[in-house]
Structures are given as C-alpha cells and as structure tokens.
Amino acid sequence: AQSVTQPDIHITVSEGASLELRCNYSYGATPYLFWYVQSPGQGLQLLLKYFSGDTLVQGIKGFEAEFKRSQSSFNLRKPSVHWSDAAEYFCAVGSNAGNNRKLIWGLGTSLAVNP
Amino acid sequence: DTAVSQTPKYLVTQMGNDKSIKCEQNLGHDTMYWYKQDSKKFLKIMFSYNNKELIINETVPNRFSPKSPDKAHLNLHINSLELGDSAVYFCASSQGLGSLSPLHFGNGTRLTVT
C-alpha cells in the first residue's frame, strides 16, 4: 500500500540548532517527493520537491532534503533553525504513473523552537 | 495580490444549517482542490476540478457538493451540517492535472459546527 510516514509527531529544538525531520515512504512507482510547511493559521507552502537528478535538493527558507532510495526516505534538514521556522511540516509523495492524480500525505511533524 | 483566496476565514454555525465556502485563484491554474484538515492536522483530499471538470471525488458525504463555475473558482456547499464537519477546509490550485504539480493553498476556512 502507498503510504508516507513521518515518525516524529512533535519535535522541539533550540534556536540556532540543526534540524532533521524524517520522512519514509512506501510507493510502488517512481516516487516524486515534496515537503510542505504550514505556519500557524496559514495554508501550506511548498518548501521543496524531488523529481529526479541530484538527490540533494535545495528549497526555500534555507531548507534542504535528501532522497535516499535504498532507505525509502526523504528527510528534511536545516543547519540552523530560526524561531520563525516553528510550524507544521508535511511530507508527500506523488507519481506520474498511469492516471495518478493524488498526493499521499504524511501526518505531519509539529516543530517548536525554543528561544 | 493573494494567489488563492477563500472566504470566509471563519465560519461558526449550528447543526443542520447549510453553508458555503468560496475559493478563487488568480494564478491561471487549471486544477483546483478542496482539502479537509482535521483537529490532528490530517489532510484529506475531498475534490478536485480540472477546467471545471470533476476529476477527484473522494469518499465524502453527499452533503458536500463542489461547484466550479469557471477554472478560477471552486466553491464548496455543505448541507445539513454535522458536528463532525468541524475542521479547516483548504482550497488549493495547481497547474496541470497530475499529482506532480506543486499545490498553492489558500489560508483555510475554519468551520465550527455547534
């Protein structure tokens, strides 16, 4: 079955610390991977995506993610977290196979940042 | 300049009432969506329209009826509201039909049914 797992429901880091949010997927076709961020009271915004090529992708707000096919993972990283990064982060997977039109979403990781 | 705008932002109503949420996008996208986000932040796609044609119709109660008068607008009408309908409803749009086109979300409509 197709699924996306974000093992960490909630993470707290100190401002300035590094961050890694985990995402694992189970998908039959070639996966196309996304990270979205949802700030409080806002809609979701695309941080970055991976379709093909270099497995390390850069996104907005200083985020990056690395696709590891052998581990079925697409973890999101940031070297130094800012207080404004406190938000909900969602990993999602899609495909260009067949008639696929829906993203599969993870349940999200809530990030809190301590001053 | 808002790309995807939805109204109202908040909606508080009583059980049994009928309400509508409106969405408009000025991005020139072909595809629009309604998502429901529950209190645990779980995102569930409800409907999707491409050029006014319904292309995704998930298993939702038929009290929910989307309508797309043109490709820039997608409305959601809900009949006979129930307590379980309380959630945040997001409109989104994308260029293209498949699941690979990045989604642009509105800021959501928080529906509270009392």
Side-chain angles (χ1 to χ4, degrees):
Chain A
Q2 299 171 344
S3 66
V4 175
T5 302
Q6 294 181 244
D8 305 304
I9 296 173
H10 186 86
I11 285 182
T12 300
V13 299
S14 297
E15 190 168 18
S18 63
L19 172 70
E20 182 169 33
L21 302 182
R22 295 183 291 165
C23 173
N24 294 98
Y25 65 89
S26 173
Y27 207 73
T30 300
Y32 293 77
L33 296 149
F34 304 81
W35 275 100
Y36 284 82
V37 60
Q38 182 181 19
S39 297
Q42 304 289 314
L44 284 75
Q45 179 184 21
L46 179 69
L47 276 177
L48 47 78
K49 62 184 186 289
Y50 172 77
F51 285 179
S52 64
D54 192 345
T55 55
L56 184 63
V57 294
Q58 302 297 319
I60 62 171
K61 302 177 190 268
F63 285 91
E64 66 178 26
E66 186 171 12
F67 172 60
K68 292 185 178 179
R69 185 184 299 276
S70 62
Q71 298 178 19
S72 297
S73 70
F74 188 56
N75 294 348
L76 182 71
R77 300 195 294 250
K78 186 169 185 178
S80 177
V81 170
H82 188 262
W83 63 266
S84 61
D85 293 324
E88 194 81 21
Y89 291 80
F90 293 92
C91 182
V93 62
S95 169
N96 66 350
N99 211 22
N100 183 21
R101 293 168 177 173
K102 293 188 298 185
L103 284 176
I104 308 296
W105 293 88
L107 296 182
T109 297
S110 178
L111 174 66
V113 180
N114 287 333
Chain B
D1 261 64
T2 306
V4 181
S5 60
Q6 45 183 119
T7 56
K9 186 172 176 66
Y10 299 97
L11 190 50
V12 181
T13 188
Q14 292 183 328
M15 286 174 54
N17 285 348
D18 303 338
K19 290 294 179 185
S20 291
I21 307 172
K22 297 187 174 183
C23 179
E24 175 181 4
Q25 55 95 3
N26 63 6
L27 297 167
H29 287 167
D30 295 330
T31 309
M32 295 185 73
Y33 309 79
W34 280 112
Y35 276 86
K36 178 181 180 180
Q37 186 176 48
D38 64 20
S39 59
K40 295 185 178 179
K41 302 286 188 177
F42 177 62
L43 271 171
K44 175 182 164 62
I45 189 167
M46 301 174 70
F47 304 103
S48 176
Y49 273 77
N50 176 260
N51 281 322
K52 302 194 294 177
E53 178 188 354
L54 182 65
I55 56 168
I56 294 176
N57 186 0
E58 289 295 284
T59 307
V60 299
N62 58 15
R63 298 180 295 101
F64 290 79
S65 53
K67 189 165 289 186
S68 182
D70 56 61
K71 75 174 192 177
H73 295 84
L74 179 62
N75 303 323
L76 183 66
H77 188 77
I78 316 170
N79 290 324
S80 304
L81 278 155
E82 300 178 356
L83 292 177
D85 298 331
S86 295
V88 180
Y89 292 85
F90 285 101
C91 177
S93 71
S94 69
Q95 184 61 33
L97 187 59
S99 65
L100 305 185
S101 304
L103 297 170
H104 296 253
F105 284 82
N107 285 333
T109 295
R110 181 174 294 276
L111 172 64
T112 303
V113 183
T114 62

